Amino acid sequence: GAGVSQSPRYKVAKRGQDVALRCDPISGHVSLFWYQQALGQGPEFLTYFQNEAQLDKSGLPSDRFFAERPEGSVSTLKIQRTQQEDSAVYLCASSLSQGARGRGHEQYFGPGTRLTVT
Amino acid sequence: SQQGEEDPQALSIQEGENATMNCSYKTSINNLQWYRQNSGRGLVHLILIRSNEREKHSGRLRVTLDTSKKSSSLLITASRAADTASYFCATGFYQTGANNLFFGTGTRLTVIP
């Protein structure tokens, strides 16, 4: 596709339910990132994949959060036993490569999934 | 916790005026990026400046980077109503082979037609 897509765009979950958020990155992009954005704040890093390998999950707030990218393209962020503090917009981004040391590349963001836990 | 902080938190200007936003960060970086986010939409990359660069231009955008002061500024010249958005700086550094971005809290810019 032309850009990063995410589904669903909106999700309402009752406290305690499990949710799964999907991200389709730009075709051919090696790197995939998940961010969490609370209302009025900037995005906060959750986890990073290089192809199918999850190289960094230091930003995941608890063991209720789990992400996977089994074939190195589509990724799923799963939140188990959702809590009200999980309410946020979850953003997925992809980039062409991981970037050589000192380089860095722009990231292309999807529209996000707005999760509301009631 | 977030790496950077933007200043001001909110800015309101008339169309045609210039807008300047500042970003300060805490640790050594490899690059700094600016993103724009319109209400209800995703983040759009504006410009990337590397740690060995001091200034970069892209259209009506001018970004400066002062690594000694750990600060950056974004200047938008001849602003338009369509520039109304939140602007975030994001710092990147090499970590486990990635370039995870750490975002600031953003500047909300309103351009009045």
Side-chain angles (χ1 to χ4, degrees):
Chain A
V4 178
S5 60
Q6 293 185 245
S7 61
R9 290 292 310 276
Y10 303 91
K11 177 69 179 178
V12 178
K14 290 188 188 299
R15 185 167 168 262
Q17 279 185 334
D18 298 349
V19 298
L21 312 180
R22 177 188 169 106
C23 172
D24 283 83
I26 293 173
S27 178
H29 276 195
V30 169
S31 301
L32 186 146
F33 303 82
W34 283 98
Y35 295 86
Q36 180 190 59
Q37 186 174 22
L39 188 63
Q41 300 294 315
E44 293 212 15
F45 168 77
L46 293 178
T47 187
Y48 159 73
F49 289 86
Q50 180 181 327
N51 295 307
E52 69 279 3
Q54 188 175 21
L55 296 188
D56 188 347
K57 52 183 181 179
S58 62
L60 296 176
S62 77
D63 58 8
R64 296 185 296 104
F65 286 71
F66 172 75
E68 59 184 6
R69 194 187 185 197
E71 297 178 358
S73 55
V74 171
S75 177
T76 303
L77 175 67
K78 297 179 179 177
I79 308 173
Q80 298 176 326
R81 304 180 304 281
T82 52
Q83 303 294 315
Q84 283 191 322
E85 61 262 28
D86 300 335
S87 296
V89 175
Y90 290 86
L91 296 168
C92 175
S94 68
S95 70
L96 192 58
S97 74
Q98 78 276 19
R101 184 180 290 275
R103 295 295 296 171
H105 290 272
E106 65 180 282
Q107 294 184 15
Y108 296 83
F109 282 80
T113 294
R114 182 177 298 278
L115 172 65
T116 303
V117 181
T118 60
Chain B
S1 64
Q2 294 181 334
Q3 166 77 306
E5 288 189 10
E6 284 90 343
D7 171 59
Q9 290 188 340
L11 179 61
S12 184
I13 60 174
Q14 296 289 327
E15 198 167 33
E17 293 180 339
N18 296 341
T20 299
M21 289 159 267
N22 302 296
C23 168
S24 60
Y25 57 91
K26 298 174 184 174
T27 61
S28 297
I29 61 171
N30 287 23
N31 67 84
L32 186 144
Q33 304 182 32
W34 285 89
Y35 286 80
R36 180 185 70 217
Q37 187 174 41
N38 296 97
S39 177
R41 297 182 60 183
L43 286 145
V44 174
H45 179 265
L46 296 177
I47 199 163
L48 181 154
I49 186 166
R50 306 199 185 282
S51 58
N52 60 352
E53 298 176 312
R54 292 296 168 259
E55 187 171 312
K56 206 161 184 180
H57 297 255
S58 177
R60 294 184 295 113
L61 306 180
R62 172 178 170 257
V63 167
T64 62
L65 179 64
D66 187 336
T67 53
S68 66
K69 295 181 179 177
K70 292 186 169 57
S71 67
S72 173
S73 68
L74 170 66
L75 168 67
I76 304 174
T77 60
S79 63
R80 305 166 181 169
D83 295 330
T84 294
S86 289
Y87 290 81
F88 295 92
C89 70
T91 48
F93 56 95
Y94 197 81
Q95 180 181 13
T96 63
N99 239 296
N100 310 336
L101 292 178
F102 291 84
F103 286 80
T105 51
T107 293
R108 293 183 301 281
L109 173 66
T110 302
V111 180
I112 302 166

